[in-house]
C-alpha cells in the first residue's frame, strides 16, 4: 500500500492533470490501447471498472459529443496517462507497489465520479443488442 503522503501526491497529480487536459490530449491518450490492454491483468479485482473508465476515454475520442461529463473524461484520461506514461510518484518497475499509485488514481476517479460511471454503464448496457 502507498503512504498517506504518496496518496496526497497522487490525488494532487490527478487534480492538476484533469484541470490541464484538452480534448486533443484525450484523443492522444485514447490511442494508447496497446499499452493499456496488457495492464488489465496487473490491475486486480476491479479491472472491469477500470475498463469502463477506459471506454469513457475511447468513446469521447471517437465522438466528443457523447453524453459523458467532461470532468469524468478529463479525470479518466489523466489517470490512464499516469498509468501508461513513465511519470509516476512510484515507478512502475518496482514490484507490487509500482502500480499501487496508478491503481489508487483510478480508484479516486471511480470514487469521485461513481454516479456518472454508473449512468455511463447503464446507458452502454441499454444500447447493447442481444442476439
Amino acid at each position: 500500500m502507498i503512504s498517506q503522503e504518496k496518496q496526497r501526491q497522487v490525488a494532487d497529480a490527478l487534480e492538476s492533470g484533469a484541470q490541464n487536459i484538452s480534448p486533443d490530449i484525450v484523443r492522444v491518450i485514447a490511442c494508447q490501447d496497446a499499452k493499456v490492454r496488457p495492464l488489465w491483468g496487473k490491475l486486480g479485482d476491479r479491472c472491469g471498472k477500470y475498463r469502463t473508465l477506459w471506454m469513457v476515454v475511447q468513446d469521447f475520442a471517437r465522438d466528443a459529443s457523447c453524453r459523458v461529463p467532461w470532468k469524468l473524461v478529463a479525470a479518466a484520461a489523466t489517470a490512464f496517462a499516469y498509468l501508461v506514461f513513465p511519470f509516476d510518484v512510484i515507478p512502475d518497475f518496482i514490484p507490487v507497489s509500482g502500480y499501487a499509485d496508478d491503481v489508487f488514481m483510478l480508484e479516486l476517479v471511480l470514487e469521485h465520479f461513481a454516479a456518472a460511471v454508473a449512468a455511463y454503464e447503464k446507458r452502454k448496457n441499454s444500447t447493447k443488442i442481444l442476439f
Side-chain angles (χ1 to χ4, degrees):
M1 194 61 193
I2 58 178
S3 71
Q4 292 278 4
E5 175 61 20
K6 295 291 185 198
Q7 288 180 14
R8 188 189 57 73
Q9 289 175 341
V10 170
D12 290 348
L14 177 62
E15 180 71 24
S16 174
Q19 288 177 359
N20 295 311
I21 202 164
S22 71
D24 289 335
I25 294 172
V26 171
R27 289 182 192 93
V28 168
I29 294 165
C31 292
Q32 302 302 312
D33 200 53
K35 290 182 180 179
V36 171
R37 286 190 183 270
L39 299 174
W40 294 136
K42 297 177 182 180
L43 296 178
D45 297 340
R46 306 236 325 141
C47 189
K49 289 291 185 185
Y50 305 147
R51 286 181 183 188
T52 298
L53 288 180
W54 185 237
M55 285 191 297
V56 165
V57 172
Q58 292 188 317
D59 282 355
F60 180 86
R62 281 191 289 274
D63 178 13
S65 67
C66 69
R67 298 181 316 178
V68 179
W70 169 248
K71 287 184 177 185
L72 170 57
V73 173
T78 299
F80 280 104
Y82 193 79
L83 181 70
V84 298
F85 296 117
F87 52 91
D88 271 70
V89 173
I90 302 171
D92 292 340
F93 65 82
I94 297 173
V96 182
S97 63
Y99 285 103
D101 57 332
D102 301 347
V103 170
F104 182 73
M105 188 171 276
L106 290 168
E107 286 297 323
L108 281 174
V109 174
L110 287 172
E111 181 181 315
H112 190 71
F113 294 100
V117 171
Y120 173 84
E121 287 176 320
K122 184 176 180 181
R123 203 168 39 253
K124 289 297 266 190
N125 288 333
S126 70
T127 59
K128 287 182 181 175
I129 298 173
L130 300 177
F131 292 96

